[in-house]
Amino acid sequence: MKVYSPDSLTDDTMSSPGLECDYLFPGSFESFLEEELGTVGSSLCSRPLSGISTDGSSNSPHPPPCSSEPTEAVECVQEEDPEERVALGGSALPRTRLADPERRRFSASELISRLQLSQRKNSFSLKLGKSLSARVASRDRQSSGHLSSDREFLSTLHTPHCLPVTAATDSKRGLSSILYQEYSDVAINREIQRQQVAEPGSEEERGSDSVSPCNLSPSSSFRSSRGSAFSLWQDIPDVRSSGQLDNFSNEERKLQEAKFELVTSEASYIRSLTIAVDHFMMSQELTECLGAQDRQWLFSKLPEVKDVSERFLQDLERRLEGDILRFDVCDIVLQHCPALRRVYLPYVTNQAYQEQTYQRLLQENPRFPSILARLEEAPVCQRLPLTSFLILPFQRITRLKMLVENILKRTTPGSRDEDTATKAFNELKRVIKECNSSVQSMKRMEELIHLNKKIHFEGKIFPLISQSRWLVKHGELLEVDTQTMSISGSKFKLPTKPVYLHLFNDCLLLSRKKDTWKFMVFVHAKIGDLKVKDLSQKLQGVSGFIFYLQLCEGPQLKHQILLKSNSESTKQRWITAMVPSSAKPSMEQGAENEDMSQVQCIKSYQAQEHDELTLEKADILQAKTITSDGWVEGIRLSDGERGWFPKTYVEEITSRSARLRNLRENIRIKCVTQKLKEGAPP
């Protein structure tokens, strides 16, 4: 019986025992045996099995599992219904009649499921082959009981127990049940490993005696900590059986893998968005618990984000179906960028209100925590909290840019594909920049309004609120009083008193705390009139980390002060903030053969202060300063952003060839991006 369903299996249908075998063995059972088990399977298929006739029709008393309706043909065909839509890997696609029986409509979810089955082929085929061989050998001896044995064996294939428990579970889940949080984490970990490994053929690789555990062969699959398998484009049976794979160079394979990851990750992303909307947002109990305004602030435009992403995935899947060997995706990304901007910009801008609403509901709405806990405990959430779903759009738009960047790195220089990938990359960068600017401008203005109520000036009018001003760094240091000196035994002792600093992008304010929440400014100066000197040698009688600050007004000295911090990193961060240096010259002057110290983010970090840098896993940074107490000042290669972060969140890239490759890839991206800008019409 040849059965095919164009539907990607949902959670409900996956739980049906009747669908299990057809999901695991697409096509006829005989063709599966011929393809997967070779001679062992073909020897058995030379005779009809019980319940299956030689022409492929079913003699089983049970109806075909793909449909509850009787079928006259050997293939299940869905009638076209423009109103009815079926979930495909989280996307919504209309049901269509298959005009050509050999032309199969598949989704990214179905592809992953087939790949996972293919990966288990060796172990399962061996076990199944032994069982079949034993049955063939005993056929003559047990002719009377032979038919019942085959029935028993065939029935096991239609139950979830025909595979080991873990394999059956993985197959049931498929990509349609692998949440984006899990998929993204595994994929980024692979990227981290790739960016640290020495280039093939380099002296470092040749000098290595052992195989690196993070050697990423393009043909190797990878698993998450939960055991879910993630396969590659090369593992697709249609690709392997095409006979064309050997014609692809290693770089061409990597290019197709990068494109394939964009498609499969989008399918997983849709799955998580669907849970966020259908399970959380549309929960009747949660809707009754929340007011209309709170519900709007909490979920914002999440349904619109999901709709736009579903249409994006539909186009990606159509392209994949059209030519699975040499498909492209960057032109589709470019085409969808305006729609992505339309929904992502308001959603990301709403982030501050979303976070505030969530925290307020936890504290002030007594029903909200208990309802939320019950929803989060549902199996569909896979033990993930609501916040991990709400933050997905922020993560996805950034990840999408990284995926296109990986594609761009592997395209042929000067080709049309490079031009298309560069345009898509630039558009995504523009969307992300607008999102960040929108969020920053809102936060900065709110912060200025708040500070304006707390900061007071002695007898001077200083308009603090300005559209072009923002807070760079603030905090309390100790002023060393060099005028008052005391003697303790045989040592001099210099007293200290607290002073508070508010450093903006254009000026510095020094103040004393009037009370807990008010500051009285006693001196201020423009940022360009500051002079800082690091006193690396400790002064006699003064412990801690000291630096000397002068505030000028033109050529005239206005005020000078000796400041003390309690750590090296605090001192260095203040000096760096007061005398900012542009990151761009050093990055642009870097040549492809100029080695630089590099670190890579291995754990996401959210900036806690204004001078810190928010890091995403796999970010590569040039390390400029490393303090003794575990802080690093770095410049992110991808966008030139500079800031501080804890050393524990990054890992040094020790391979010189890996550092040079990362730098070379970064320089190439900058060059093609700049070339596109120069060639763009004014």
Side-chain angles (χ1 to χ4, degrees):
M1 177 177 65
K2 184 178 181 183
V3 179
Y4 174 71
S5 171
D7 302 349
S8 175
L9 301 181
T10 62
D11 287 341
D12 294 333
T13 56
M14 281 299 236
S15 63
S16 171
L19 285 175
E20 184 70 10
C21 182
D22 296 278
Y23 178 63
L24 293 176
F25 308 102
S28 67
F29 180 63
E30 294 174 346
S31 65
F32 166 77
L33 292 177
E34 291 176 354
E35 178 183 353
E36 304 296 328
L37 304 183
T39 57
V40 175
S42 60
S43 65
L44 180 63
C45 289
S46 61
R47 60 178 177 80
L49 291 176
S50 174
I52 299 183
S53 63
T54 55
D55 62 356
S57 61
S58 174
N59 295 327
S60 171
H62 302 288
C66 67
S67 173
S68 59
E69 299 295 328
T71 56
E72 297 180 359
V74 296
E75 191 170 14
C76 292
V77 179
Q78 302 290 344
E79 291 294 334
E80 182 175 1
D81 184 353
E83 297 298 324
E84 184 178 9
R85 307 185 76 83
V86 57
L88 267 176
S91 65
L93 295 177
R95 295 180 183 266
T96 56
R97 173 180 293 274
L98 301 178
D100 183 355
E102 297 302 321
R103 183 168 179 77
R104 298 163 296 176
R105 177 72 176 95
F106 55 79
S107 70
S109 302
E110 290 173 308
L111 272 179
I112 285 294
S113 301
R114 294 173 62 194
L115 299 191
Q116 292 172 350
L117 169 65
S118 177
Q119 286 182 324
R120 293 189 297 273
K121 178 185 65 177
N122 290 338
S123 60
F124 178 56
S125 295
L126 180 61
K127 180 179 178 181
L128 183 60
K130 290 180 179 179
S131 175
L132 293 177
S133 299
R135 296 179 192 283
V136 171
S138 62
R139 179 177 51 186
D140 297 331
R141 296 193 308 268
Q142 301 177 357
S143 57
S144 60
H146 147 76
L147 293 179
S148 61
S149 298
D150 280 332
R151 276 196 198 95
E152 180 183 354
F153 171 72
L154 184 61
S155 66
T156 63
L157 295 180
H158 284 270
T159 70
H161 306 292
C162 62
L163 287 176
V165 175
T166 54
T169 303
D170 280 349
S171 178
K172 278 189 175 185
R173 289 178 65 189
L175 181 62
S176 63
S177 61
I178 295 175
L179 299 186
Y180 182 71
Q181 294 93 319
E182 181 183 1
Y183 187 102
S184 178
D185 190 57
V186 174
I188 291 175
N189 286 338
R190 274 179 66 88
E191 183 66 12
I192 289 175
Q193 294 174 354
R194 184 195 73 84
Q195 292 173 158
Q196 291 183 340
V197 174
E199 286 193 288
S202 65
E203 294 182 4
E204 292 170 87
E205 188 188 57
R206 290 194 298 268
S208 177
D209 296 331
S210 60
V211 179
S212 172
C214 54
N215 179 26
L216 301 178
S217 170
S219 61
S220 63
S221 301
F222 52 107
R223 282 185 173 271
S224 72
S225 59
R226 301 187 182 194
S228 303
F230 300 84
S231 300
L232 303 177
W233 166 79
Q234 295 174 84
D235 297 328
I236 301 174
D238 291 348
V239 174
R240 291 204 317 266
S241 63
S242 67
Q244 300 296 317
L245 197 54
D246 291 340
N247 297 331
F248 284 77
S249 66
N250 194 40
E251 288 303 313
E252 288 175 328
R253 293 186 184 192
K254 290 179 180 179
L255 175 60
Q256 293 306 114
E257 298 291 4
K259 295 175 182 178
F260 185 60
E261 184 187 348
L262 190 147
V263 181
T264 54
S265 64
E266 188 69 20
S268 180
Y269 173 59
I270 294 296
R271 170 66 179 176
S272 291
L273 284 183
T274 301
I275 294 173
V277 174
D278 294 351
H279 181 67
F280 287 103
M281 182 177 178
M282 303 306 294
S283 166
Q284 183 66 30
E285 192 177 13
L286 194 60
T287 300
E288 294 173 355
C289 169
L290 303 177
Q293 187 61 70
D294 284 343
R295 188 170 182 267
Q296 173 62 29
W297 280 341
L298 189 61
F299 294 102
S300 186
K301 290 184 174 291
L302 201 58
E304 288 88 340
V305 173
K306 176 175 172 286
D307 291 342
V308 167
S309 299
E310 283 177 341
R311 288 192 288 271
F312 179 41
L313 180 60
Q314 287 178 28
D315 288 347
L316 291 173
E317 288 180 336
R318 291 191 188 99
R319 178 64 59 81
L320 194 64
E321 180 184 8
D323 185 359
I324 200 169
L325 289 177
R326 296 191 179 274
F327 61 94
D328 194 13
V329 294
C330 289
D331 58 329
I332 298 177
V333 174
L334 184 61
Q335 176 187 347
H336 282 264
C337 273
L340 294 174
R341 178 191 178 279
R342 177 172 52 82
V343 295
Y344 276 96
L345 186 57
Y347 188 88
V348 173
T349 304
N350 185 64
Q351 178 184 10
Y353 295 110
Q354 187 180 69
E355 293 174 351
Q356 294 170 9
T357 301
Y358 179 79
Q359 294 299 329
R360 179 173 51 80
L361 288 171
L362 286 177
Q363 297 172 5
E364 301 177 3
N365 190 325
R367 295 180 57 202
F368 180 72
S370 58
I371 294 174
L372 186 60
R374 284 196 297 272
L375 290 173
E376 291 176 344
E377 288 171 359
V380 71
C381 297
Q382 298 181 22
R383 300 180 181 178
L384 294 171
L386 170 63
T387 50
S388 73
F389 291 93
L390 294 179
I391 203 173
L392 287 176
F394 309 106
Q395 298 173 338
R396 181 56 182 172
I397 191 65
T398 304
R399 180 62 183 163
L400 194 58
K401 186 202 72 156
M402 293 175 62
L403 291 170
V404 173
E405 183 179 7
N406 285 340
I407 294 173
L408 177 55
K409 290 175 182 177
R410 291 164 175 78
T411 55
T412 304
S415 65
R416 179 179 297 179
D417 288 344
E418 182 191 60
D419 184 64
T420 305
T422 304
K423 291 178 180 177
F425 176 71
N426 281 351
E427 285 301 312
L428 288 173
K429 279 182 61 177
R430 185 176 291 111
V431 172
I432 294 172
K433 185 176 180 180
E434 287 186 43
C435 290
N436 289 336
S437 298
S438 178
V439 172
Q440 283 183 351
S441 61
M442 180 184 299
K443 288 184 176 180
R444 286 171 175 175
M445 184 53 63
E446 289 181 351
E447 193 168 41
L448 282 178
I449 294 173
H450 179 66
L451 287 174
N452 192 52
K453 299 176 183 178
K454 299 166 59 176
I455 297 177
H456 303 273
F457 294 82
E458 295 179 346
K460 290 187 178 181
I461 299 176
F462 188 94
L464 188 63
I465 299 177
S466 171
Q467 288 284 354
S468 59
R469 177 176 294 138
W470 64 86
L471 187 64
V472 174
K473 188 173 179 60
H474 68 100
E476 187 174 80
L477 295 175
L478 293 176
E479 177 185 2
V480 180
D481 189 355
T482 57
Q483 304 299 320
T484 306
M485 192 184 313
S486 63
I487 300 177
S488 177
S490 59
K491 295 182 179 179
F492 291 104
K493 188 175 182 181
L494 297 175
T496 60
K497 55 183 175 181
V499 58
Y500 208 92
L501 288 73
H502 287 92
L503 179 65
F504 297 91
N505 63 307
D506 61 344
C507 64
L508 171 67
L509 311 180
L510 300 185
S511 60
R512 310 283 184 195
K513 274 193 176 182
K514 191 174 182 181
D515 55 40
T516 307
W517 300 108
K518 288 187 179 180
F519 304 92
M520 185 61 68
V521 178
F522 62 87
V523 66
H524 62 87
K526 295 180 180 179
I527 195 75
D529 291 336
L530 300 179
K531 295 181 180 179
V532 185
K533 184 177 181 180
D534 183 4
L535 302 179
S536 56
Q537 300 296 327
K538 293 183 179 180
L539 299 179
Q540 184 178 8
V542 182
S543 60
F545 301 87
I546 311 296
F547 65 97
Y548 180 59
L549 173 64
Q550 289 182 323
L551 291 82
C552 303
E553 191 168 9
Q556 301 296 322
L557 177 63
K558 190 175 181 179
H559 189 82
Q560 57 185 350
I561 187 172
L562 200 62
L563 294 170
K564 170 187 171 182
S565 67
N566 58 2
S567 68
E568 182 190 0
S569 61
T570 302
K571 180 187 72 171
Q572 291 296 339
R573 287 170 64 170
W574 272 110
I575 293 175
T576 301
M578 291 178 183
V579 189
S581 57
S582 174
K584 292 183 179 180
S586 62
M587 298 297 294
E588 291 173 355
Q589 291 171 4
E592 288 189 10
N593 59 352
E594 181 182 343
D595 193 11
M596 299 186 301
S597 173
Q598 292 179 10
V599 294
Q600 185 175 49
C601 177
I602 56 174
K603 184 169 59 174
S604 298
Y605 177 71
Q606 181 64 42
Q608 304 297 313
E609 296 185 23
H610 294 77
D611 64 336
E612 295 178 9
L613 194 60
T614 294
L615 301 180
E616 297 295 338
K617 290 177 67 173
D619 279 349
I620 301 176
L621 305 103
Q622 177 189 357
K624 301 294 292 183
T625 306
I626 302 178
T627 66
S628 59
D629 55 337
W631 282 83
V632 181
E633 183 195 16
I635 303 172
R636 186 161 43 217
L637 264 62
S638 62
D639 56 11
E641 289 292 323
R642 185 172 189 153
W644 291 84
F645 45 87
K647 187 178 180 180
T648 53
Y649 285 78
V650 297
E651 193 173 84
E652 183 183 3
I653 299 178
T654 57
S655 167
R656 183 176 186 274
S657 66
R659 293 195 300 268
L660 292 178
R661 180 196 60 225
N662 296 335
L663 182 61
R664 185 169 60 251
E665 290 177 347
N666 180 255
I667 292 175
R668 182 194 171 188
I669 296 294
K670 291 183 181 298
C671 288
V672 296
T673 301
Q674 185 62 33
K675 181 180 178 181
L676 184 65
K677 289 181 179 179
E678 293 173 354

